[in-house]
Amino acid sequence: MHIDLLDPGPFGRNDFWAALTWLRANDPVHWHPEPGAGDKGFWVLGKHRDVVRVYADSDTFSSAQGMRLGSDPAAVSAVAQRMLIVSDAPHHTRLKRALHQAFGPQQMPRLEGLVTRVVGELVAEAAEVEELDFIDLAKQLPNRVVCAMMGIPRADWAWIGALTTDAFDSPDETVRSNAHSEIFLYFMELLAERRARPGDDLVSQIAHDTLVDEGDGTERPLSDEEIVFNCNGVLSGANETTRYSAAGAVHMFAELPGQWELLRSLGPAGIAPAVEEILRWTTPGVHALRTAVRDTEVNGTRIAAGDRVTLWNASANRDEDVFTDPHAFRVDRRPNRHVAFGHGRHLCLGARLARFELGALLTEMLGSLDGFELTGPALFNSSNFTWGIRSLPVRLLRSRVSAPRERAAL
């Protein structure tokens, strides 16, 4: 079978799954050449056990040399060891411990209240129309939440959301680079303002109340560069996962209305497993890149120091050895050991917030909608990194009598 995971076409057509299935069965540690690059290429790992093993072995597999195919080496070098997603221990451990304070259990009541308010506003706005492109609602949920968390002026929210999409989803490297630069400049200005006039937002908290343990008994504030780079990371992580997972969920509920009815019948207790299945099914973070720092072996295949190794989360989440009937969308699936947020030290910092956003959206929609009807084809973006639905025309099927809503415990 011809395999080309660098070709954007199959991702735009949503037909790349067959290639991943074939690789799991026939070549689970696959050498993927890069056309026109001589002997240059990368390893493709698609089995759940191999993906989890490499995620967990951060001593052998480095993130500091880039975390996606197609990265600009100069851009990676500029942020390495100062941005969570492109850092290794001990820098990664210290940074994550410091930044986790902003997403820890003590912060969740405030964040949950914010999410609940934003979801209520969005669903109320959607109630005024019968048909819409659901991605317009889906992308506003995480963008409004993260912008409000950071104290970004409301007038800038739409612009920030568009920049984030360009920075991580554009097929054009120049567009991606320029968008990242715009975001960095914006946060430099915002940080200067928060240093002078702190508030109760995330940027103020990181700038004034967050200290990094240096490992020698001393602590230091985060540098301006660390704050700006990681605000950019929070912005992208918060936006992309929830957007694509929410749209992917509605797509499946429209195609499989029985799953919506099953979820309704399960009540609040069904929300948490449904969220996990939505994350497994959609897997917006399709792959992650690591670089071997020493000679090693994966599943019997020799990996040389310096080799690039790609971890295909989308493939691991359909692994027949881990998931029963993996190509079926089942909201009551248990257990569900997906890797949609990665694994190990690099487990996504905003995973808990993304789960709550999806759960709150499902809860709100279950209280007012009988389901969804597609009014046009679902369109997908053409990225092998951050992937999902970019357009989903739907008709909202409204309940004659809205059921009383209960908040699910997530």
Side-chain angles (χ1 to χ4, degrees):
M1 182 176 184
H2 176 66
I3 303 292
D4 185 359
L5 296 176
L6 297 175
D7 179 3
F11 296 91
R13 297 190 299 270
N14 188 27
D15 64 5
F16 60 95
W17 300 101
L20 298 180
T21 299
W22 188 91
L23 287 173
R24 284 195 305 276
N26 298 280
D27 195 5
V29 184
H30 170 74
W31 178 254
H32 193 303
E34 290 193 54
D39 294 334
K40 190 177 179 183
F42 53 92
W43 295 102
V44 173
L45 306 187
K47 294 293 292 181
H48 189 281
R49 64 175 179 268
D50 297 332
V51 168
V52 167
R53 182 231 150 160
V54 171
Y55 269 130
D57 188 2
S58 54
D59 292 332
T60 303
F61 298 96
S62 170
S63 301
Q65 298 178 53
M67 45 75 69
R68 62 168 291 178
L69 292 168
S71 297
D72 177 0
V76 172
S77 178
V79 300
Q81 305 293 27
R82 292 183 289 176
M83 188 174 184
L84 271 177
I85 56 175
V86 283
S87 63
D88 295 325
H91 307 281
H92 179 273
T93 305
R94 296 166 187 163
L95 267 177
K96 189 167 188 177
R97 187 179 295 130
L99 292 166
H100 188 266
Q101 299 170 33
F103 294 91
Q106 71 279 8
Q107 297 294 329
M108 287 312 294
R110 181 177 67 85
L111 296 181
E112 288 174 2
L114 172 60
V115 170
T116 301
R117 184 171 71 252
V118 169
V119 167
E121 291 173 356
L122 284 173
V123 174
E125 291 170 15
E128 298 178 5
V129 297
E130 182 178 343
E131 297 182 10
L132 74 157
D133 189 333
F134 193 80
I135 199 65
D136 290 338
L137 184 153
K139 69 185 180 183
Q140 289 188 65
L141 167 56
N143 191 57
R144 289 188 187 186
V145 169
V146 76
C147 285
M149 282 173 56
M150 292 181 168
I152 293 173
R154 186 145 193 164
D156 295 341
W157 288 6
W159 178 72
I160 286 289
L163 269 184
T164 303
T165 298
D166 284 345
F168 288 89
D169 288 356
S170 174
D172 188 317
E173 174 62 35
T174 300
V175 171
R176 292 201 303 269
S177 178
N178 289 342
H180 278 298
S181 297
E182 289 275 1
I183 292 171
F184 290 151
L185 287 171
Y186 183 87
F187 277 120
M188 287 298 290
E189 293 176 2
L190 187 65
L191 176 59
E193 180 182 321
R194 294 296 188 271
R195 287 210 188 277
R197 292 179 294 279
D200 61 356
D201 57 275
L202 177 65
V203 177
S204 295
Q205 181 181 347
I206 294 174
H208 292 274
D209 303 326
T210 300
L211 298 174
V212 179
D213 181 353
E214 289 285 74
D216 59 2
T218 64
E219 294 181 322
R220 65 168 176 83
L222 287 165
S223 69
D224 286 2
E225 290 80 8
E226 287 171 331
I227 293 172
V228 168
F229 294 155
N230 287 288
C231 280
N232 182 39
V234 168
L235 191 66
S236 64
N239 266 292
E240 303 305 297
T241 297
T242 304
R243 171 199 304 198
Y244 290 131
S245 291
V250 169
H251 182 219
M252 294 314 298
F253 288 133
E255 293 205 326
L256 302 172
Q259 289 296 304
W260 184 251
E261 291 306 315
L262 173 59
L263 181 56
R264 185 190 294 275
S265 73
L266 293 172
I271 295 294
V275 166
E276 298 309 311
E277 178 66 348
I278 289 165
L279 291 166
R280 181 193 77 89
W281 184 260
T282 55
T283 313
V286 178
H287 83 265
L289 174 70
R290 297 292 186 266
T291 302
V293 298
R294 60 175 69 98
D295 291 349
T296 187
E297 188 178 284
V298 175
N299 200 2
T301 299
R302 180 179 176 276
I303 308 294
D307 282 358
R308 294 179 300 160
V309 178
T310 53
L311 315 180
W312 291 77
N313 302 318
S315 179
N317 283 347
R318 304 286 175 98
D319 190 339
E320 298 81 0
D321 292 342
V322 176
F323 302 97
T324 302
D325 198 9
H327 300 288
F329 176 75
R330 294 175 10 199
V331 294
D332 59 348
R333 182 182 296 277
R334 289 182 188 270
N336 198 334
R337 295 186 292 118
H338 67 77
V339 290
F341 291 118
H343 178 77
R345 287 176 176 169
H346 279 268
L347 188 71
C348 178
L349 187 65
R352 188 172 182 179
L353 179 60
R355 285 184 165 107
F356 190 82
E357 288 174 340
L358 290 169
L361 182 62
L362 288 180
T363 300
E364 190 75 23
M365 293 192 303
L366 281 167
S368 58
L369 299 176
D370 282 335
F372 312 87
E373 183 179 287
L374 296 177
T375 58
L379 302 179
F380 296 80
N381 70 351
S382 300
S383 171
N384 67 2
F385 177 60
T386 305
W387 173 86
I389 289 173
R390 61 180 174 84
S391 179
L392 186 70
V394 294
R395 179 177 296 111
L396 305 181
L397 306 179
R398 307 193 185 288
S399 303
R400 291 194 189 92
V401 178
S402 293
R405 291 191 295 272
E406 299 178 59
R407 236 176 109 193
L410 299 182

